[in-house]
Amino acid sequence: MKILLAACNAKYIHSNLAVFNLRAYASEYRDNILLREYTINQQKDDIMRDIYRAGADVVCFSCYIWNITFVKELMEDLARILPDTDFWVGGPEVSFDAEKFLEANPHVKGVMEGEGEETFLELVKYYVEGRTQLEEISGIAYRDDNDVHHNGWREVIDLSTVPFAYENMDDFANRIVYYESSRGCPFSCSYCLSSVDKKLRFRSLDLVKKELQFFIDRKVPQVKFVDRTFNCRHDHAMAIWKYITEHDNGVTNFHFEISADLLREEELELMKNMRPGLIQLEIGVQSTNPDTIRAIHRTMNLEKLTALVAKIHSFGNIHQHLDLIAGLPYEDYDSFRHSFNEVYAMKPQQLQLGFLKVLKGSHMMEAKEEYGIVYKSREPYEVLSTRWLSYGEILRLKMVESMVEVYYNSGQFQNTLEYLEPYFADAFGLYEALGAFYEKKGYGEVSHSRIRRYEILLEFLEEYPQIPVDAAADRMIYDLYLRENLKSRPAFASSQKQWEKMIWKYRRDHDVAKTAHIEVFRDGKVLLFDYTRRDPLMNNAYVEEIILY
């Protein structure tokens, strides 16, 4: 008897912690369990061929908003070529309407609801040994002939009883490794499924430290904690942050989703002395509108959050990623603009502008009529309009999101953007105008090289005669050389011909490395870009002003 656990990830660099946890929990039947990871970008025929050749008697798919249509289409075809195979599904996209899902997908045998470790183990026993019957297994809905049965949800488990999921890290080369030290969330954000189950549980710190050491010893590039609010228990978070600081291997980066306004002075003092790049923090702000915050059942002290983000920023060693969500209740276009500007002013390394997803099982789904939320009928169930925000305004925000992603989050235009912002009403206005320009020119419909993005930006500035184009071009040259020593200079760069002999003499007299670059700017300033000494946080070259003569 072979049982195949199949994951269809959004990208190759992602991995699926859930299927590895299921296999680890049912380790006594390891010889009966196969595990495969695919991506939704693969050809379905290739995946079908691989699953067919695996010869499994049972195939279990992990389902999320990013793969559910892909998985359903895959199973429908697999059922035609594997008529004697039982197909099971699990995950958040099928857990909250299991019976409805089975009725709509007659080729699927059953659904595992919620946490699946114990449920999967009992299913394995059912198939391998026949020791149980399906009607005895809680946490499932299943098909028996033409009838659908629902056995009720299973109680959540002690997280410390789940064995460590990882073995051979060679399988995760060039991929993100996910890890959880807690499940559940103490907060009640109405758009999030983590708020549905209030049973917050923590993994034993002894286990956590042992498992983190496994990653540290193998110099895994990045470990991403999937804990919904990592620092909701101070002693738990502090113990882990202390451990990774004391056992830092100089390579591994740890990513945490936190609530910034829960941070204490003790944690900040520890962060201040961490290696640059040891940790990165993702902070969900979502909105700065007090009415919105109340409506989505969040608790946030904006003044405290702003001060804490600024303090962490002053350390110069921690990457901060701040999130906003468009389409929330009571947030109209102008209100979102205000939220954007307030978060942008915090100067995070990344600003994620996302759009509300109306998820099955969430409180937002229940309140959709009250808030007039119209959303896509298929995954990812993204907002189309609300009582406060029209579809046309959503489209405008989509262009702002695109411009922020290209020009801000890439980190490749930092100095250029800082120079341009004062010429616009506010930071949002810059990205709004740039997005409108991309639409007018049709530039949003094609991909562009890095240099082309700079050229488009210069073309955009031609519509603003009050902005000195040469000065802006010099900022772009500065940003370009911060990242790399260009093999060929862009057309908008100023000529260096008159300075060549002086640059050559300076290099000889000061034994400047061949890999370094010296640039003379239009205002006469001379900068040396040293790529052997990079900023460990942003990977930018070390820059110093020099005198050629």
Side-chain angles (χ1 to χ4, degrees):
M1 173 66 65
K2 289 184 181 180
I3 300 168
L4 172 63
L5 288 166
C8 294
N9 302 323
K11 297 179 181 178
Y12 172 77
I13 61 168
H14 298 167
S15 57
N16 187 305
L17 178 59
V19 293
F20 286 93
N21 277 343
L22 295 182
R23 183 176 69 174
Y25 201 82
S27 59
E28 61 192 284
Y29 296 97
R30 180 62 181 271
D31 291 344
N32 300 99
I33 300 172
L34 307 172
L35 191 152
R36 298 282 195 277
E37 286 192 279
Y38 310 104
T39 80
I40 58 175
N41 301 308
Q42 286 180 255
Q43 294 294 322
K44 290 190 182 75
D45 284 345
D46 293 340
I47 299 174
M48 286 175 60
R49 179 174 62 246
D50 189 65
I51 291 175
Y52 176 82
R53 289 177 175 172
D57 304 283
V58 182
V59 178
C60 306
F61 281 97
S62 186
C63 301
Y64 305 88
I65 58 173
W66 62 80
N67 72 4
I68 184 63
T69 293
F70 187 90
V71 168
K72 286 195 294 187
E73 292 173 356
L74 196 57
M75 285 193 298
E76 189 172 353
D77 287 336
L78 281 168
R80 292 188 173 101
I81 59 174
L82 297 170
D84 299 323
T85 300
D86 279 357
F87 293 93
W88 285 80
V89 294
E93 189 53 26
V94 294
S95 287
F96 296 95
D97 62 351
E99 292 171 276
K100 184 178 177 182
F101 182 87
L102 289 174
E103 289 168 2
N105 298 274
H107 47 279
V108 178
K109 175 68 175 179
V111 176
M112 291 179 274
E113 299 173 310
E115 291 184 9
E117 284 88 357
E118 287 191 339
T119 303
F120 177 70
L121 175 58
E122 291 188 17
L123 273 176
V124 172
K125 290 177 179 177
Y126 164 76
Y127 279 107
V128 175
E129 298 186 7
R131 284 164 48 182
T132 57
Q133 298 301 312
L134 288 180
E135 58 265 25
E136 301 174 52
I137 302 175
S138 62
I140 65 170
Y142 66 98
R143 186 187 314 282
D144 183 10
D145 295 325
N146 293 321
D147 297 324
V148 172
H149 304 273
H150 192 288
N151 293 355
W153 280 57
R154 179 184 294 273
E155 283 296 309
V156 297
I157 63 173
D158 177 354
L159 190 54
S160 297
T161 64
V162 180
F164 187 51
Y166 296 100
E167 298 168 356
N168 183 3
M169 296 313 297
D170 291 342
D171 296 336
F172 296 91
N174 304 313
R175 301 174 71 195
I176 298 171
V177 172
Y178 296 94
Y179 180 79
E180 63 179 341
S181 71
S182 67
R183 281 184 187 171
C185 182
F187 302 114
S188 303
C189 303
S190 61
Y191 52 83
C192 179
L193 289 179
S194 296
S195 65
V196 176
D197 176 15
K198 307 304 295 180
K199 296 176 181 176
L200 180 61
R201 293 145 289 145
F202 295 85
R203 193 165 176 82
S204 157
L205 280 170
D206 288 339
L207 281 176
V208 171
K209 291 175 182 179
K210 178 182 177 182
E211 291 159 0
L212 293 182
Q213 192 61 49
F214 176 89
F215 298 133
I216 292 167
D217 289 343
R218 288 154 183 80
K219 295 189 174 181
V220 173
Q222 185 180 57
V223 176
K224 191 166 185 177
F225 277 66
V226 296
D227 303 43
R228 299 313 303 161
T229 306
F230 174 76
N231 62 326
C232 62
R233 184 198 277 182
H234 170 73
D235 58 345
H236 181 83
M238 193 65 187
I240 292 173
W241 280 335
K242 273 185 178 178
Y243 188 86
I244 63 175
T245 302
E246 292 167 358
H247 296 80
D248 181 20
N249 60 15
V251 174
T252 303
N253 163 266
F254 296 89
H255 177 105
F256 303 93
E257 292 185 37
I258 69 163
S259 175
D261 48 357
L262 292 180
L263 290 172
R264 302 183 186 180
E265 195 58 41
E266 182 185 18
E267 292 164 313
L268 292 167
E269 194 59 34
L270 178 62
M271 289 178 182
K272 183 179 179 181
N273 298 301
M274 287 177 173
R275 166 180 61 86
L278 173 62
I279 70 170
Q280 62 188 52
L281 303 176
E282 183 173 347
I283 302 167
V285 182
Q286 319 313 10
S287 172
T288 65
N289 182 332
D291 293 332
T292 300
I293 294 299
R294 281 191 293 271
I296 62 176
H297 309 144
R298 278 180 70 81
T299 303
M300 182 180 69
N301 183 328
L302 181 61
E303 185 177 349
K304 184 179 180 182
L305 184 148
T306 302
L308 286 166
V309 169
K311 189 163 188 175
I312 295 169
H313 188 70
S314 73
F315 300 159
N317 62 347
I318 295 172
H319 181 287
Q320 294 187 91
H321 177 145
L322 304 188
D323 296 337
L324 282 172
I325 297 178
L328 294 173
Y330 300 100
E331 188 95 273
D332 62 17
Y333 192 84
D334 289 338
S335 168
F336 187 84
R337 182 184 195 124
H338 182 73
S339 291
F340 178 96
N341 286 327
E342 287 199 288
V343 174
Y344 190 89
M346 298 181 198
K347 298 185 182 299
Q349 277 72 32
Q350 286 211 322
L351 198 172
Q352 183 68 48
L353 199 172
F355 291 80
L356 176 66
K357 311 292 190 297
V358 184
L359 303 177
K360 298 173 185 176
S362 70
H363 296 305
M364 192 63 73
M365 172 68 82
E366 297 173 6
K368 63 182 185 296
E369 302 296 336
E370 177 187 353
Y371 297 136
I373 297 174
V374 178
Y375 59 94
K376 292 181 179 178
S377 58
R378 294 178 62 180
E379 72 287 346
Y381 315 113
E382 191 172 271
V383 64
L384 296 171
S385 66
T386 72
R387 276 172 48 194
W388 301 271
L389 205 59
S390 70
Y391 180 59
E393 289 169 328
I394 290 281
L395 293 178
R396 288 166 65 189
L397 290 177
K398 285 282 185 182
M399 286 307 300
V400 172
E401 175 201 25
S402 178
M403 295 301 97
V404 169
E405 193 63 30
V406 168
Y407 286 99
Y408 185 87
N409 288 342
S410 68
Q412 298 172 357
F413 302 81
Q414 180 180 345
N415 296 280
T416 305
L417 294 171
E418 287 178 359
Y419 176 73
L420 295 179
E421 283 162 23
Y423 290 97
F424 293 82
D426 52 25
F428 184 90
L430 168 59
Y431 296 100
E432 182 184 45
L434 188 53
F437 179 78
Y438 262 71
E439 280 204 318
K440 181 175 73 173
K441 295 288 188 176
Y443 291 153
E445 300 168 9
V446 294
S447 60
H448 302 282
S449 67
R450 183 184 174 196
I451 292 295
R452 181 60 185 141
R453 294 288 189 187
Y454 285 92
E455 292 171 346
I456 292 173
L457 192 54
L458 280 171
E459 187 182 339
F460 164 70
L461 295 182
E462 291 175 2
E463 300 195 351
Y464 297 86
Q466 72 273 26
I467 302 178
V469 176
D470 283 352
D474 265 2
R475 265 55 173 203
M476 294 181 191
I477 292 300
Y478 181 83
D479 279 327
L480 279 163
Y481 278 111
L482 264 183
R483 284 301 179 94
E484 61 178 319
N485 194 350
L486 302 174
K487 294 180 180 178
S488 58
R489 290 172 64 77
F492 55 84
S494 60
S495 172
Q496 302 287 287
K497 193 167 185 62
Q498 62 178 311
W499 310 105
E500 285 177 354
K501 289 183 179 180
M502 297 179 74
I503 292 173
W504 179 84
K505 184 176 184 303
Y506 185 92
R507 282 182 172 277
R508 183 193 62 191
D509 293 347
H510 294 82
D511 195 26
V512 176
K514 290 182 179 179
T515 55
H517 174 74
I518 296 174
E519 180 78 15
V520 182
F521 291 87
R522 290 178 174 92
D523 62 2
K525 184 178 289 186
V526 186
L527 298 181
L528 186 150
F529 297 81
D530 185 349
Y531 303 100
T532 63
R533 292 188 288 169
R534 288 184 179 270
D535 168 14
L537 201 59
M538 298 297 291
N539 203 37
N540 289 333
Y542 173 79
V543 181
E544 65 175 312
E545 187 172 357
I546 62 174
I547 299 175
L548 289 178
Y549 42 86

